[in-house]
Short mmCIF file of all heavy atoms in Angstrom, two decimals:
data_model
loop_
_atom_site.label_atom_id
_atom_site.label_comp_id
_atom_site.label_asym_id
_atom_site.label_seq_id
_atom_site.Cartn_x
_atom_site.Cartn_y
_atom_site.Cartn_z
N LEU A 239 27.39 0.39 -18.49
CA LEU A 239 28.49 -0.60 -18.66
C LEU A 239 28.20 -1.86 -17.87
O LEU A 239 27.71 -1.80 -16.75
CB LEU A 239 29.81 0.01 -18.21
CG LEU A 239 30.37 1.11 -19.06
CD1 LEU A 239 31.55 1.76 -18.37
CD2 LEU A 239 30.77 0.58 -20.43
N THR A 240 28.52 -2.98 -18.45
CA THR A 240 28.35 -4.23 -17.71
C THR A 240 29.41 -4.33 -16.65
O THR A 240 30.46 -3.63 -16.63
CB THR A 240 28.53 -5.46 -18.67
OG1 THR A 240 29.86 -5.48 -19.14
CG2 THR A 240 27.53 -5.36 -19.83
N ASP A 241 29.15 -5.21 -15.69
CA ASP A 241 30.12 -5.45 -14.62
C ASP A 241 31.44 -5.91 -15.18
O ASP A 241 32.51 -5.47 -14.75
CB ASP A 241 29.62 -6.49 -13.64
CG ASP A 241 28.30 -6.04 -12.96
OD1 ASP A 241 28.05 -4.81 -12.89
OD2 ASP A 241 27.56 -6.93 -12.53
N ASN A 242 31.40 -6.80 -16.17
CA ASN A 242 32.62 -7.31 -16.74
C ASN A 242 33.38 -6.16 -17.45
O ASN A 242 34.63 -6.09 -17.31
CB ASN A 242 32.33 -8.42 -17.75
CG ASN A 242 32.10 -9.75 -17.09
OD1 ASN A 242 31.86 -9.82 -15.91
ND2 ASN A 242 32.16 -10.84 -17.84
N ALA A 243 32.69 -5.28 -18.16
CA ALA A 243 33.36 -4.19 -18.86
C ALA A 243 34.02 -3.24 -17.83
O ALA A 243 35.12 -2.80 -18.03
CB ALA A 243 32.36 -3.40 -19.71
N LEU A 244 33.31 -3.01 -16.73
CA LEU A 244 33.88 -2.16 -15.69
C LEU A 244 35.14 -2.79 -15.08
O LEU A 244 36.16 -2.16 -14.94
CB LEU A 244 32.89 -1.90 -14.57
CG LEU A 244 31.75 -0.94 -14.92
CD1 LEU A 244 30.70 -0.93 -13.83
CD2 LEU A 244 32.26 0.47 -15.11
N MET A 245 35.07 -4.09 -14.80
CA MET A 245 36.21 -4.73 -14.19
C MET A 245 37.40 -4.81 -15.15
O MET A 245 38.56 -4.70 -14.76
CB MET A 245 35.84 -6.14 -13.69
CG MET A 245 36.87 -6.77 -12.78
SD MET A 245 37.21 -5.75 -11.32
CE MET A 245 38.96 -6.14 -11.07
N LEU A 246 37.13 -4.99 -16.42
CA LEU A 246 38.21 -4.96 -17.43
C LEU A 246 38.87 -3.58 -17.49
O LEU A 246 40.09 -3.49 -17.69
CB LEU A 246 37.70 -5.40 -18.81
CG LEU A 246 37.40 -6.87 -18.90
CD1 LEU A 246 36.65 -7.17 -20.25
CD2 LEU A 246 38.64 -7.76 -18.77
N GLN A 247 38.07 -2.53 -17.28
CA GLN A 247 38.66 -1.18 -17.24
C GLN A 247 39.51 -1.03 -15.97
O GLN A 247 40.58 -0.40 -16.03
CB GLN A 247 37.56 -0.15 -17.27
CG GLN A 247 36.92 -0.05 -18.65
CD GLN A 247 35.74 0.95 -18.70
OE1 GLN A 247 35.39 1.56 -17.69
NE2 GLN A 247 35.18 1.13 -19.87
N VAL A 248 39.04 -1.59 -14.86
CA VAL A 248 39.83 -1.54 -13.65
C VAL A 248 41.18 -2.33 -13.89
O VAL A 248 42.23 -1.80 -13.54
CB VAL A 248 39.09 -2.18 -12.41
CG1 VAL A 248 40.00 -2.36 -11.23
CG2 VAL A 248 37.86 -1.32 -12.08
N LYS A 249 41.07 -3.46 -14.50
CA LYS A 249 42.26 -4.25 -14.78
C LYS A 249 43.24 -3.46 -15.65
O LYS A 249 44.46 -3.57 -15.45
CB LYS A 249 41.85 -5.54 -15.51
CG LYS A 249 43.01 -6.45 -15.86
CD LYS A 249 42.49 -7.68 -16.58
CE LYS A 249 43.64 -8.60 -16.93
NZ LYS A 249 43.17 -9.87 -17.58
N ALA A 250 42.71 -2.67 -16.58
CA ALA A 250 43.55 -1.85 -17.47
C ALA A 250 44.13 -0.65 -16.78
O ALA A 250 44.91 0.09 -17.40
CB ALA A 250 42.75 -1.49 -18.72
N GLY A 251 43.73 -0.37 -15.53
CA GLY A 251 44.33 0.75 -14.81
C GLY A 251 43.39 1.85 -14.42
O GLY A 251 43.79 2.79 -13.76
N ASP A 252 42.14 1.81 -14.87
CA ASP A 252 41.15 2.82 -14.53
C ASP A 252 40.52 2.45 -13.19
O ASP A 252 39.40 1.94 -13.12
CB ASP A 252 40.10 2.96 -15.60
CG ASP A 252 39.17 4.17 -15.36
OD1 ASP A 252 39.29 4.81 -14.32
OD2 ASP A 252 38.33 4.42 -16.25
N LEU A 253 41.23 2.72 -12.10
CA LEU A 253 40.80 2.27 -10.80
C LEU A 253 39.56 2.96 -10.29
O LEU A 253 38.85 2.47 -9.41
CB LEU A 253 41.96 2.44 -9.76
CG LEU A 253 43.26 1.73 -10.11
CD1 LEU A 253 44.25 1.89 -8.98
CD2 LEU A 253 43.03 0.27 -10.43
N SER A 254 39.21 4.12 -10.92
CA SER A 254 38.01 4.82 -10.50
C SER A 254 36.74 4.04 -10.80
O SER A 254 35.72 4.22 -10.16
CB SER A 254 37.93 6.19 -11.22
OG SER A 254 37.71 6.02 -12.61
N ARG A 255 36.82 3.12 -11.72
CA ARG A 255 35.66 2.26 -12.07
C ARG A 255 35.31 1.29 -10.94
O ARG A 255 34.21 0.80 -10.91
CB ARG A 255 35.92 1.47 -13.37
CG ARG A 255 36.09 2.35 -14.57
CD ARG A 255 34.85 3.18 -14.80
NE ARG A 255 34.87 3.79 -16.11
CZ ARG A 255 33.85 4.37 -16.65
NH1 ARG A 255 32.70 4.42 -16.00
NH2 ARG A 255 33.95 4.93 -17.82
N MET A 256 36.25 1.06 -10.05
CA MET A 256 35.93 0.16 -8.92
C MET A 256 34.83 0.77 -8.05
O MET A 256 34.06 0.04 -7.42
CB MET A 256 37.19 -0.10 -8.09
CG MET A 256 36.98 -1.14 -6.99
SD MET A 256 36.37 -2.74 -7.53
CE MET A 256 37.86 -3.49 -8.07
N GLY A 257 34.75 2.09 -8.01
CA GLY A 257 33.71 2.78 -7.23
C GLY A 257 32.30 2.38 -7.71
O GLY A 257 31.40 2.22 -6.90
N LEU A 258 32.13 2.26 -9.04
CA LEU A 258 30.85 1.87 -9.59
C LEU A 258 30.50 0.40 -9.18
O LEU A 258 29.37 0.10 -8.83
CB LEU A 258 30.82 2.01 -11.11
CG LEU A 258 30.83 3.45 -11.64
CD1 LEU A 258 31.03 3.44 -13.13
CD2 LEU A 258 29.58 4.17 -11.26
N LEU A 259 31.51 -0.45 -9.27
CA LEU A 259 31.31 -1.80 -8.83
C LEU A 259 30.96 -1.92 -7.35
O LEU A 259 30.13 -2.70 -6.92
CB LEU A 259 32.51 -2.71 -9.17
CG LEU A 259 32.72 -2.92 -10.69
CD1 LEU A 259 34.07 -3.52 -10.96
CD2 LEU A 259 31.61 -3.82 -11.25
N PHE A 260 31.64 -1.06 -6.54
CA PHE A 260 31.38 -1.03 -5.11
C PHE A 260 29.91 -0.62 -4.89
O PHE A 260 29.18 -1.26 -4.11
CB PHE A 260 32.30 -0.05 -4.39
CG PHE A 260 32.07 -0.01 -2.93
CD1 PHE A 260 32.65 -0.97 -2.09
CD2 PHE A 260 31.29 1.00 -2.38
CE1 PHE A 260 32.43 -0.93 -0.72
CE2 PHE A 260 31.08 1.05 -1.00
CZ PHE A 260 31.63 0.08 -0.16
N GLU A 261 29.44 0.40 -5.60
CA GLU A 261 28.08 0.88 -5.45
C GLU A 261 27.04 -0.20 -5.85
O GLU A 261 26.04 -0.36 -5.24
CB GLU A 261 27.80 2.12 -6.28
CG GLU A 261 28.44 3.36 -5.72
CD GLU A 261 27.96 3.65 -4.31
OE1 GLU A 261 26.73 3.58 -4.02
OE2 GLU A 261 28.81 3.97 -3.43
N ARG A 262 27.41 -1.00 -6.85
CA ARG A 262 26.50 -2.06 -7.32
C ARG A 262 26.47 -3.25 -6.36
O ARG A 262 25.47 -3.94 -6.27
CB ARG A 262 26.92 -2.53 -8.70
CG ARG A 262 26.68 -1.55 -9.80
CD ARG A 262 27.10 -2.11 -11.12
NE ARG A 262 26.94 -1.11 -12.18
CZ ARG A 262 27.20 -1.33 -13.44
NH1 ARG A 262 27.63 -2.50 -13.87
NH2 ARG A 262 27.03 -0.32 -14.34
N TYR A 263 27.58 -3.55 -5.70
CA TYR A 263 27.69 -4.83 -4.98
C TYR A 263 27.90 -4.77 -3.46
O TYR A 263 27.79 -5.78 -2.81
CB TYR A 263 28.80 -5.67 -5.61
CG TYR A 263 28.39 -6.24 -6.94
CD1 TYR A 263 28.77 -5.66 -8.12
CD2 TYR A 263 27.52 -7.34 -6.98
CE1 TYR A 263 28.34 -6.17 -9.33
CE2 TYR A 263 27.10 -7.88 -8.18
CZ TYR A 263 27.52 -7.28 -9.38
OH TYR A 263 27.09 -7.81 -10.56
N HIS A 264 28.23 -3.63 -2.92
CA HIS A 264 28.57 -3.67 -1.49
C HIS A 264 27.40 -4.11 -0.60
O HIS A 264 27.63 -4.83 0.37
CB HIS A 264 29.21 -2.34 -1.04
CG HIS A 264 28.23 -1.21 -0.79
ND1 HIS A 264 27.78 -0.44 -1.81
CD2 HIS A 264 27.65 -0.78 0.32
CE1 HIS A 264 26.92 0.45 -1.33
NE2 HIS A 264 26.85 0.29 -0.03
N ARG A 265 26.19 -3.73 -0.92
CA ARG A 265 25.03 -4.13 -0.10
C ARG A 265 24.82 -5.64 -0.19
O ARG A 265 24.59 -6.31 0.81
CB ARG A 265 23.79 -3.37 -0.51
CG ARG A 265 23.77 -1.93 -0.05
CD ARG A 265 22.50 -1.22 -0.44
NE ARG A 265 22.62 0.22 -0.28
CZ ARG A 265 22.99 1.03 -1.28
NH1 ARG A 265 23.30 0.58 -2.46
NH2 ARG A 265 23.13 2.34 -1.03
N GLU A 266 24.87 -6.14 -1.40
CA GLU A 266 24.68 -7.59 -1.61
C GLU A 266 25.75 -8.38 -0.91
O GLU A 266 25.47 -9.37 -0.21
CB GLU A 266 24.70 -7.89 -3.12
CG GLU A 266 24.69 -9.36 -3.45
CD GLU A 266 24.91 -9.63 -4.95
OE1 GLU A 266 24.38 -8.85 -5.75
OE2 GLU A 266 25.60 -10.60 -5.26
N LEU A 267 26.95 -7.94 -1.04
CA LEU A 267 28.11 -8.62 -0.43
C LEU A 267 27.99 -8.56 1.09
O LEU A 267 28.21 -9.54 1.80
CB LEU A 267 29.41 -8.03 -0.91
CG LEU A 267 30.71 -8.77 -0.58
CD1 LEU A 267 30.68 -10.22 -1.05
CD2 LEU A 267 31.86 -8.01 -1.22
N PHE A 268 27.63 -7.37 1.60
CA PHE A 268 27.46 -7.22 3.08
C PHE A 268 26.38 -8.19 3.57
O PHE A 268 26.59 -8.85 4.60
CB PHE A 268 27.05 -5.77 3.43
CG PHE A 268 26.74 -5.61 4.87
CD1 PHE A 268 27.74 -5.38 5.80
CD2 PHE A 268 25.41 -5.68 5.34
CE1 PHE A 268 27.46 -5.22 7.15
CE2 PHE A 268 25.13 -5.55 6.68
CZ PHE A 268 26.15 -5.34 7.59
N GLY A 269 25.30 -8.29 2.86
CA GLY A 269 24.19 -9.19 3.27
C GLY A 269 24.66 -10.66 3.29
O GLY A 269 24.36 -11.37 4.25
N PHE A 270 25.41 -11.04 2.31
CA PHE A 270 25.93 -12.40 2.22
C PHE A 270 26.86 -12.69 3.40
O PHE A 270 26.75 -13.70 4.09
CB PHE A 270 26.68 -12.58 0.91
CG PHE A 270 27.41 -13.89 0.77
CD1 PHE A 270 26.71 -15.05 0.50
CD2 PHE A 270 28.81 -13.95 0.90
CE1 PHE A 270 27.41 -16.28 0.37
CE2 PHE A 270 29.49 -15.16 0.78
CZ PHE A 270 28.76 -16.30 0.54
N LEU A 271 27.75 -11.74 3.69
CA LEU A 271 28.70 -11.92 4.76
C LEU A 271 28.08 -11.80 6.16
O LEU A 271 28.46 -12.54 7.05
CB LEU A 271 29.86 -10.89 4.63
CG LEU A 271 30.69 -11.06 3.35
CD1 LEU A 271 31.60 -9.85 3.13
CD2 LEU A 271 31.52 -12.35 3.39
N TYR A 272 27.08 -10.94 6.24
CA TYR A 272 26.33 -10.82 7.52
C TYR A 272 25.57 -12.11 7.81
O TYR A 272 25.53 -12.55 8.98
CB TYR A 272 25.42 -9.61 7.51
CG TYR A 272 24.72 -9.37 8.83
CD1 TYR A 272 25.37 -8.76 9.85
CD2 TYR A 272 23.43 -9.84 9.03
CE1 TYR A 272 24.79 -8.57 11.08
CE2 TYR A 272 22.81 -9.68 10.26
CZ TYR A 272 23.50 -9.03 11.30
OH TYR A 272 22.91 -8.87 12.49
N HIS A 273 25.05 -12.71 6.79
CA HIS A 273 24.31 -13.98 6.97
C HIS A 273 25.23 -15.04 7.55
O HIS A 273 24.81 -15.90 8.33
CB HIS A 273 23.73 -14.45 5.63
CG HIS A 273 22.98 -15.73 5.69
ND1 HIS A 273 21.74 -15.83 6.27
CD2 HIS A 273 23.32 -16.95 5.29
CE1 HIS A 273 21.34 -17.09 6.19
NE2 HIS A 273 22.29 -17.79 5.59
N MET A 274 26.53 -15.00 7.20
CA MET A 274 27.48 -15.96 7.68
C MET A 274 28.02 -15.61 9.07
O MET A 274 28.22 -16.48 9.93
CB MET A 274 28.65 -16.15 6.69
CG MET A 274 28.21 -16.80 5.41
SD MET A 274 29.56 -17.30 4.31
CE MET A 274 30.73 -16.03 4.45
N SER A 275 28.26 -14.34 9.31
CA SER A 275 28.94 -13.91 10.54
C SER A 275 28.00 -13.40 11.66
O SER A 275 28.39 -13.43 12.83
CB SER A 275 29.96 -12.79 10.23
OG SER A 275 29.29 -11.57 9.94
N HIS A 276 26.84 -12.89 11.28
CA HIS A 276 25.89 -12.31 12.20
C HIS A 276 26.50 -11.12 13.00
O HIS A 276 26.11 -10.86 14.13
CB HIS A 276 25.32 -13.35 13.16
CG HIS A 276 24.64 -14.45 12.43
ND1 HIS A 276 23.39 -14.32 11.86
CD2 HIS A 276 25.03 -15.73 12.21
CE1 HIS A 276 23.07 -15.46 11.28
NE2 HIS A 276 24.02 -16.34 11.48
N ASP A 277 27.49 -10.47 12.39
CA ASP A 277 28.17 -9.36 13.01
C ASP A 277 28.38 -8.24 11.99
O ASP A 277 29.10 -8.46 11.01
CB ASP A 277 29.49 -9.80 13.61
CG ASP A 277 30.19 -8.64 14.35
OD1 ASP A 277 29.93 -8.49 15.54
OD2 ASP A 277 31.01 -7.97 13.69
N ALA A 278 27.77 -7.06 12.20
CA ALA A 278 27.82 -6.02 11.21
C ALA A 278 29.23 -5.47 11.03
O ALA A 278 29.66 -5.24 9.89
CB ALA A 278 26.86 -4.87 11.61
N THR A 279 29.96 -5.26 12.08
CA THR A 279 31.32 -4.73 11.99
C THR A 279 32.21 -5.68 11.23
O THR A 279 33.00 -5.24 10.34
CB THR A 279 31.88 -4.45 13.40
OG1 THR A 279 31.00 -3.54 14.06
CG2 THR A 279 33.28 -3.85 13.30
#
């Protein structure tokens, strides 16, 4: 499933699909935010 398809399912009420999006993006997002804050916590 594409990211958009997953998010549209989340929007429709299937909140379990957010877990797949988390798995796909949490590392990338952490890296982006760590680059700005320089603080892991």
